[in-house]
Amino acid sequence: MCGIVGYIGYREAFPIVIKGLKRLEYRGYDSAGLMLFDGSNLKVCKTKGKVTDLEELCSTHITPNGTIGMGHTRWATHGVPNDVNSHPHVSNSGNLVIIHNGIIENYEPLKKELINRGYVFHSDTDTEVLVNLIEDVQKKDNLKLGKAVQIALNQVVGAYAICVFDKQKPNEIIVARLGSPLAIGVGENEYFIASDASPFIEYTSNAIYLEDEEMAIVRMNKSLKIRKIKDDSLVDPYVQELQMNLEQIEKGGFDHFMLKEIFEQPNVIKDTYRGRLHANTGLIQMAGIEDNIEKFLNADRILIVACGTSWHAGLVAEYIIEEFTRIPVEVEYASEFRYRNPIINKGDVVIAISQSGETADTLAAIKLAKERGAFVFGVCNVVGSSISRETHAGAYTHAGPEIGVASTKAFTTQITVLTMIALRIAKAKGTLSTSDFHRYLQELELIPEKVVEALQTNEKAKEIAATFKDSHNCLYLGRGYNFPVALEGALKLKEISYIHAEGYPAAEMKHGPIALIDEHMPVVVIAPKLGHYDKVVSNIQEIKSRSGKIIAIVTKGDTQVRDLADYVIEIPETADALSPLITTIPLQLLSYYIAVMRDCNVDQPRNLAKSVTVE
């Protein structure tokens, strides 16, 4: 889940690498480091802490010049976050330098063998083992660096995106990937290397995304060569035009990326259904569905695999798809799916959801489903990502880059796509009446302006946050479509404020959690007018009788819950099935302001990273 950056060309590398690391810091931020080569001297600088700490250290410890450079921002797997375990790592000879995103699972036996050969290790990382393995292979047969990297990678088990540099051949960088993303920006007489395209979007709009088990030799002033790691065969590079711009990855006047992304939701929901949803003519057109509609119509069941917030979106989709299409749906944690020998049949459709399109557990679930004959459909946000390539078909959300580690706009755009899928299948199956189908289309088209209205609860959320910022625990309750929203609201609070929170179906409160309720326990209840309103009112009364502090999310104009709750946030009315797109907004705002008031790092919460590319 680390971020890597590289540059080789005619510009000064240091500012490109530093700026790139800052943009990739959402991928990991417990330590950072870089390497520069100025034509004769190899300079390595690394430290525990954030990229700003690295930048300050470099200003006093090295001369930051050179037109070749590599950088790394770390989310620790092997070895605690400290200066020594930070990347880059240098081989025993001092000639080879490596940065690595991923995990080498068989590093221990490799390390023992290298120690027997006389190698000395200074860090606790698997990456230092890899760079010395490459050096050992290189020395034994006097190989070129590219060939040595290829042979070494055929001996390792795990996942990686790597950049390797040899100061004895200072006109090239070797890159390779398996299971971890790697993009190469193609400029005029220069190349950029990164975990995603954000570090180089102002320099070039052309990028090559390496596929699994591919490596590239990136040479100064020459065209790059891509080869298969296993058989050394050449691969024709496929250059894509980038689908993002610089403005999308800047804060735009907001204090944090998370707040910016919360407020972007009206536009990105509209972007996600634009060209697909035609309420006036009663059509939904999605190429990935149209081309495979029979797969869905004939499905024995739909399996949804995802992790984290995407799993919560999948739970919402379970309610919607079953209600609209009458196809059975199961939602699985991707991290558990392949380890429990799941039953997968050829008549099954598997929907894989991931913001980044690089989630390791979800990719593993996709591969298993494909092996067993299921049709696999991807829902992700990043064009060219691994999931978009591994699935049989799919649909992109159009959330734009999501930099804040705690996902917000990805959640609502995923629900938007999944709702359109459900509606399109229902129309084809005839499981929704024509009037209901048109009503949902029209209501979905109105969601962006209703999200704008929901965002006007910003000041109310801030006021409530000030009251509960010092709480130690919190319960979130919802029923029906809004039970997954309760889970998501609790996750947001945990992620960014470090307050323990749990989400439950409201009726399940009586089966255990009610024991926790007292005058110190805030309980967030999602209680829109439609759905199971009367039942939720009864649950609120149970909380009230035990002195719990009730924060209620209610439909505008509600009076019954208002009389019971201690704090009320009003939202506009919408169809019950679409309510998660609205009810989640005040919960995002509440979590955000509580975290800010607790002086937490909202965009980079501790121990987390945006894209989980290791198991």
mmCIF file of all heavy atoms in Angstrom, residues 434-462:
data_model
loop_
_atom_site.group_PDB
_atom_site.id
_atom_site.type_symbol
_atom_site.label_atom_id
_atom_site.label_comp_id
_atom_site.label_asym_id
_atom_site.label_seq_id
_atom_site.Cartn_x
_atom_site.Cartn_y
_atom_site.Cartn_z
ATOM 1 N N THR A 434 -43.884 -0.469 -14.967
ATOM 2 C CA THR A 434 -43.416 0.660 -15.784
ATOM 3 C C THR A 434 -43.475 1.961 -14.999
ATOM 4 O O THR A 434 -42.557 2.784 -15.062
ATOM 5 C CB THR A 434 -44.272 0.778 -17.060
ATOM 6 O OG1 THR A 434 -44.152 -0.426 -17.805
ATOM 7 C CG2 THR A 434 -43.811 1.951 -17.917
ATOM 8 N N SER A 435 -44.533 2.147 -14.224
ATOM 9 C CA SER A 435 -44.664 3.393 -13.458
ATOM 10 C C SER A 435 -43.587 3.497 -12.378
ATOM 11 O O SER A 435 -43.006 4.575 -12.173
ATOM 12 C CB SER A 435 -46.057 3.488 -12.832
ATOM 13 O OG SER A 435 -46.281 2.401 -11.945
ATOM 14 N N ASP A 436 -43.305 2.382 -11.691
ATOM 15 C CA ASP A 436 -42.260 2.411 -10.667
ATOM 16 C C ASP A 436 -40.891 2.639 -11.294
ATOM 17 O O ASP A 436 -40.060 3.380 -10.763
ATOM 18 C CB ASP A 436 -42.249 1.100 -9.872
ATOM 19 C CG ASP A 436 -43.338 1.065 -8.816
ATOM 20 O OD1 ASP A 436 -43.914 2.129 -8.511
ATOM 21 O OD2 ASP A 436 -43.614 -0.032 -8.293
ATOM 22 N N PHE A 437 -40.645 2.009 -12.437
ATOM 23 C CA PHE A 437 -39.370 2.182 -13.128
ATOM 24 C C PHE A 437 -39.141 3.651 -13.470
ATOM 25 O O PHE A 437 -38.076 4.218 -13.181
ATOM 26 C CB PHE A 437 -39.343 1.323 -14.393
ATOM 27 C CG PHE A 437 -38.082 1.458 -15.199
ATOM 28 C CD1 PHE A 437 -36.908 0.857 -14.788
ATOM 29 C CD2 PHE A 437 -38.072 2.193 -16.380
ATOM 30 C CE1 PHE A 437 -35.735 0.982 -15.538
ATOM 31 C CE2 PHE A 437 -36.918 2.324 -17.138
ATOM 32 C CZ PHE A 437 -35.745 1.710 -16.711
ATOM 33 N N HIS A 438 -40.139 4.286 -14.058
ATOM 34 C CA HIS A 438 -40.018 5.697 -14.419
ATOM 35 C C HIS A 438 -39.883 6.578 -13.174
ATOM 36 O O HIS A 438 -39.131 7.564 -13.172
ATOM 37 C CB HIS A 438 -41.216 6.138 -15.265
ATOM 38 C CG HIS A 438 -41.133 5.679 -16.683
ATOM 39 N ND1 HIS A 438 -40.439 6.360 -17.649
ATOM 40 C CD2 HIS A 438 -41.651 4.580 -17.300
ATOM 41 C CE1 HIS A 438 -40.526 5.728 -18.800
ATOM 42 N NE2 HIS A 438 -41.254 4.631 -18.612
ATOM 43 N N ARG A 439 -40.588 6.222 -12.123
ATOM 44 C CA ARG A 439 -40.508 7.004 -10.878
ATOM 45 C C ARG A 439 -39.093 6.965 -10.303
ATOM 46 O O ARG A 439 -38.551 7.995 -9.884
ATOM 47 C CB ARG A 439 -41.514 6.453 -9.860
ATOM 48 C CG ARG A 439 -41.486 7.165 -8.505
ATOM 49 C CD ARG A 439 -42.634 6.690 -7.630
ATOM 50 N NE ARG A 439 -42.561 5.260 -7.355
ATOM 51 C CZ ARG A 439 -41.865 4.741 -6.325
ATOM 52 N NH1 ARG A 439 -41.192 5.544 -5.515
ATOM 53 N NH2 ARG A 439 -41.841 3.443 -6.125
ATOM 54 N N TYR A 440 -38.474 5.790 -10.321
ATOM 55 C CA TYR A 440 -37.117 5.679 -9.802
ATOM 56 C C TYR A 440 -36.112 6.438 -10.681
ATOM 57 O O TYR A 440 -35.171 7.065 -10.179
ATOM 58 C CB TYR A 440 -36.700 4.219 -9.660
ATOM 59 C CG TYR A 440 -37.226 3.558 -8.411
ATOM 60 C CD1 TYR A 440 -38.112 2.486 -8.476
ATOM 61 C CD2 TYR A 440 -36.826 4.003 -7.146
ATOM 62 C CE1 TYR A 440 -38.591 1.879 -7.326
ATOM 63 C CE2 TYR A 440 -37.304 3.401 -5.995
ATOM 64 C CZ TYR A 440 -38.182 2.340 -6.082
ATOM 65 O OH TYR A 440 -38.650 1.743 -4.940
ATOM 66 N N LEU A 441 -36.298 6.364 -11.979
ATOM 67 C CA LEU A 441 -35.410 7.116 -12.874
ATOM 68 C C LEU A 441 -35.484 8.608 -12.577
ATOM 69 O O LEU A 441 -34.456 9.298 -12.480
ATOM 70 C CB LEU A 441 -35.770 6.869 -14.333
ATOM 71 C CG LEU A 441 -35.544 5.486 -14.944
ATOM 72 C CD1 LEU A 441 -35.668 5.567 -16.458
ATOM 73 C CD2 LEU A 441 -34.205 4.903 -14.570
ATOM 74 N N GLN A 442 -36.686 9.105 -12.447
ATOM 75 C CA GLN A 442 -36.862 10.534 -12.188
ATOM 76 C C GLN A 442 -36.297 10.925 -10.825
ATOM 77 O O GLN A 442 -35.674 11.975 -10.672
ATOM 78 C CB GLN A 442 -38.346 10.892 -12.294
ATOM 79 C CG GLN A 442 -38.885 10.808 -13.715
ATOM 80 C CD GLN A 442 -40.403 10.766 -13.783
ATOM 81 O OE1 GLN A 442 -41.083 10.791 -12.755
ATOM 82 N NE2 GLN A 442 -40.942 10.682 -14.997
ATOM 83 N N GLU A 443 -36.507 10.063 -9.849
ATOM 84 C CA GLU A 443 -36.013 10.370 -8.506
ATOM 85 C C GLU A 443 -34.492 10.299 -8.448
ATOM 86 O O GLU A 443 -33.853 11.124 -7.790
ATOM 87 C CB GLU A 443 -36.637 9.403 -7.484
ATOM 88 C CG GLU A 443 -36.428 9.805 -6.044
ATOM 89 C CD GLU A 443 -37.013 11.171 -5.707
ATOM 90 O OE1 GLU A 443 -38.069 11.542 -6.251
ATOM 91 O OE2 GLU A 443 -36.382 11.889 -4.902
ATOM 92 N N LEU A 444 -33.901 9.341 -9.149
ATOM 93 C CA LEU A 444 -32.444 9.251 -9.181
ATOM 94 C C LEU A 444 -31.841 10.484 -9.848
ATOM 95 O O LEU A 444 -30.795 10.986 -9.418
ATOM 96 C CB LEU A 444 -32.014 7.973 -9.916
ATOM 97 C CG LEU A 444 -30.514 7.644 -9.930
ATOM 98 C CD1 LEU A 444 -29.939 7.580 -8.519
ATOM 99 C CD2 LEU A 444 -30.269 6.327 -10.670
ATOM 100 N N GLU A 445 -32.509 10.982 -10.871
ATOM 101 C CA GLU A 445 -32.026 12.187 -11.547
ATOM 102 C C GLU A 445 -32.056 13.400 -10.613
ATOM 103 O O GLU A 445 -31.262 14.339 -10.777
ATOM 104 C CB GLU A 445 -32.883 12.446 -12.787
ATOM 105 C CG GLU A 445 -32.290 13.476 -13.730
ATOM 106 C CD GLU A 445 -33.089 13.571 -15.017
ATOM 107 O OE1 GLU A 445 -34.299 13.859 -14.944
ATOM 108 O OE2 GLU A 445 -32.498 13.358 -16.093
ATOM 109 N N LEU A 446 -32.936 13.391 -9.624
ATOM 110 C CA LEU A 446 -33.043 14.504 -8.676
ATOM 111 C C LEU A 446 -32.075 14.398 -7.497
ATOM 112 O O LEU A 446 -31.955 15.348 -6.715
ATOM 113 C CB LEU A 446 -34.478 14.582 -8.139
ATOM 114 C CG LEU A 446 -35.579 14.959 -9.136
ATOM 115 C CD1 LEU A 446 -36.942 14.809 -8.475
ATOM 116 C CD2 LEU A 446 -35.375 16.376 -9.648
ATOM 117 N N ILE A 447 -31.418 13.259 -7.366
ATOM 118 C CA ILE A 447 -30.559 13.046 -6.197
ATOM 119 C C ILE A 447 -29.474 14.119 -6.043
ATOM 120 O O ILE A 447 -29.245 14.614 -4.928
ATOM 121 C CB ILE A 447 -29.939 11.636 -6.230
ATOM 122 C CG1 ILE A 447 -31.002 10.595 -5.890
ATOM 123 C CG2 ILE A 447 -28.757 11.517 -5.261
ATOM 124 C CD1 ILE A 447 -31.534 10.656 -4.472
ATOM 125 N N PRO A 448 -28.776 14.539 -7.107
ATOM 126 C CA PRO A 448 -27.728 15.549 -6.893
ATOM 127 C C PRO A 448 -28.226 16.820 -6.213
ATOM 128 O O PRO A 448 -27.565 17.342 -5.301
ATOM 129 C CB PRO A 448 -27.218 15.824 -8.313
ATOM 130 C CG PRO A 448 -27.442 14.535 -9.029
ATOM 131 C CD PRO A 448 -28.755 14.030 -8.493
ATOM 132 N N GLU A 449 -29.393 17.329 -6.619
ATOM 133 C CA GLU A 449 -29.867 18.556 -5.975
ATOM 134 C C GLU A 449 -30.320 18.289 -4.540
ATOM 135 O O GLU A 449 -30.227 19.175 -3.675
ATOM 136 C CB GLU A 449 -30.973 19.212 -6.796
ATOM 137 C CG GLU A 449 -32.245 18.430 -6.950
ATOM 138 C CD GLU A 449 -33.216 19.109 -7.916
ATOM 139 O OE1 GLU A 449 -32.911 19.152 -9.133
ATOM 140 O OE2 GLU A 449 -34.259 19.609 -7.441
ATOM 141 N N LYS A 450 -30.761 17.070 -4.260
ATOM 142 C CA LYS A 450 -31.119 16.741 -2.881
ATOM 143 C C LYS A 450 -29.873 16.557 -2.012
ATOM 144 O O LYS A 450 -29.900 16.850 -0.814
ATOM 145 C CB LYS A 450 -32.004 15.492 -2.856
ATOM 146 C CG LYS A 450 -33.355 15.746 -3.504
ATOM 147 C CD LYS A 450 -34.332 14.608 -3.348
ATOM 148 C CE LYS A 450 -35.683 14.978 -3.969
ATOM 149 N NZ LYS A 450 -36.710 13.948 -3.760
ATOM 150 N N VAL A 451 -28.779 16.092 -2.612
ATOM 151 C CA VAL A 451 -27.516 16.036 -1.883
ATOM 152 C C VAL A 451 -27.025 17.445 -1.571
ATOM 153 O O VAL A 451 -26.485 17.707 -0.485
ATOM 154 C CB VAL A 451 -26.454 15.235 -2.671
ATOM 155 C CG1 VAL A 451 -25.086 15.328 -1.995
ATOM 156 C CG2 VAL A 451 -26.868 13.774 -2.795
ATOM 157 N N VAL A 452 -27.200 18.362 -2.506
ATOM 158 C CA VAL A 452 -26.869 19.776 -2.238
ATOM 159 C C VAL A 452 -27.625 20.253 -1.006
ATOM 160 O O VAL A 452 -27.053 20.915 -0.121
ATOM 161 C CB VAL A 452 -27.206 20.657 -3.465
ATOM 162 C CG1 VAL A 452 -27.109 22.136 -3.094
ATOM 163 C CG2 VAL A 452 -26.277 20.339 -4.625
ATOM 164 N N GLU A 453 -28.892 19.923 -0.926
ATOM 165 C CA GLU A 453 -29.694 20.325 0.232
ATOM 166 C C GLU A 453 -29.194 19.654 1.506
ATOM 167 O O GLU A 453 -29.119 20.281 2.568
ATOM 168 C CB GLU A 453 -31.162 19.978 -0.025
ATOM 169 C CG GLU A 453 -32.103 20.529 1.033
ATOM 170 C CD GLU A 453 -33.568 20.262 0.716
ATOM 171 O OE1 GLU A 453 -33.880 19.926 -0.452
ATOM 172 O OE2 GLU A 453 -34.401 20.381 1.644
ATOM 173 N N ALA A 454 -28.845 18.381 1.405
ATOM 174 C CA ALA A 454 -28.333 17.668 2.576
ATOM 175 C C ALA A 454 -27.010 18.260 3.057
ATOM 176 O O ALA A 454 -26.721 18.267 4.259
ATOM 177 C CB ALA A 454 -28.163 16.184 2.253
ATOM 178 N N LEU A 455 -26.215 18.772 2.138
ATOM 179 C CA LEU A 455 -24.942 19.393 2.519
ATOM 180 C C LEU A 455 -25.142 20.687 3.310
ATOM 181 O O LEU A 455 -24.220 21.150 3.988
ATOM 182 C CB LEU A 455 -24.101 19.664 1.263
ATOM 183 C CG LEU A 455 -23.481 18.424 0.604
ATOM 184 C CD1 LEU A 455 -22.949 18.768 -0.778
ATOM 185 C CD2 LEU A 455 -22.367 17.840 1.474
ATOM 186 N N GLN A 456 -26.323 21.236 3.235
ATOM 187 C CA GLN A 456 -26.623 22.451 4.009
ATOM 188 C C GLN A 456 -26.781 22.155 5.500
ATOM 189 O O GLN A 456 -26.954 23.072 6.304
ATOM 190 C CB GLN A 456 -27.864 23.128 3.445
ATOM 191 C CG GLN A 456 -27.655 23.693 2.045
ATOM 192 C CD GLN A 456 -28.946 24.163 1.377
ATOM 193 O OE1 GLN A 456 -29.995 24.251 2.017
ATOM 194 N NE2 GLN A 456 -28.861 24.462 0.084
ATOM 195 N N THR A 457 -26.702 20.877 5.874
ATOM 196 C CA THR A 457 -26.690 20.509 7.293
ATOM 197 C C THR A 457 -25.294 20.648 7.884
ATOM 198 O O THR A 457 -25.061 20.262 9.032
ATOM 199 C CB THR A 457 -27.181 19.058 7.482
ATOM 200 O OG1 THR A 457 -26.247 18.149 6.860
ATOM 201 C CG2 THR A 457 -28.561 18.866 6.880
ATOM 202 N N ASN A 458 -24.387 21.192 7.115
ATOM 203 C CA ASN A 458 -22.985 21.335 7.513
ATOM 204 C C ASN A 458 -22.837 21.995 8.885
ATOM 205 O O ASN A 458 -22.142 21.475 9.778
ATOM 206 C CB ASN A 458 -22.262 22.154 6.440
ATOM 207 C CG ASN A 458 -20.779 22.246 6.669
ATOM 208 O OD1 ASN A 458 -20.111 21.225 6.812
ATOM 209 N ND2 ASN A 458 -20.242 23.452 6.700
ATOM 210 N N GLU A 459 -23.490 23.137 9.099
ATOM 211 C CA GLU A 459 -23.348 23.860 10.372
ATOM 212 C C GLU A 459 -23.994 23.094 11.521
ATOM 213 O O GLU A 459 -23.491 23.110 12.643
ATOM 214 C CB GLU A 459 -23.955 25.262 10.245
ATOM 215 C CG GLU A 459 -23.169 26.198 9.353
ATOM 216 C CD GLU A 459 -21.713 26.351 9.819
ATOM 217 O OE1 GLU A 459 -21.494 26.535 11.037
ATOM 218 O OE2 GLU A 459 -20.816 26.289 8.968
ATOM 219 N N LYS A 460 -25.099 22.429 11.245
ATOM 220 C CA LYS A 460 -25.754 21.623 12.274
ATOM 221 C C LYS A 460 -24.855 20.467 12.697
ATOM 222 O O LYS A 460 -24.720 20.151 13.891
ATOM 223 C CB LYS A 460 -27.088 21.089 11.758
ATOM 224 C CG LYS A 460 -27.927 20.375 12.802
ATOM 225 C CD LYS A 460 -28.414 21.340 13.879
ATOM 226 C CE LYS A 460 -29.347 20.670 14.858
ATOM 227 N NZ LYS A 460 -29.808 21.582 15.921
ATOM 228 N N ALA A 461 -24.227 19.831 11.726
ATOM 229 C CA ALA A 461 -23.299 18.738 12.036
ATOM 230 C C ALA A 461 -22.136 19.235 12.876
ATOM 231 O O ALA A 461 -21.699 18.561 13.819
ATOM 232 C CB ALA A 461 -22.792 18.110 10.739
ATOM 233 N N LYS A 462 -21.639 20.422 12.555
ATOM 234 C CA LYS A 462 -20.541 21.005 13.318
ATOM 235 C C LYS A 462 -20.967 21.277 14.764
ATOM 236 O O LYS A 462 -20.207 21.024 15.716
ATOM 237 C CB LYS A 462 -20.077 22.300 12.641
ATOM 238 C CG LYS A 462 -18.769 22.868 13.195
ATOM 239 C CD LYS A 462 -18.428 24.209 12.563
ATOM 240 C CE LYS A 462 -18.236 24.133 11.069
ATOM 241 N NZ LYS A 462 -17.769 25.439 10.512
#
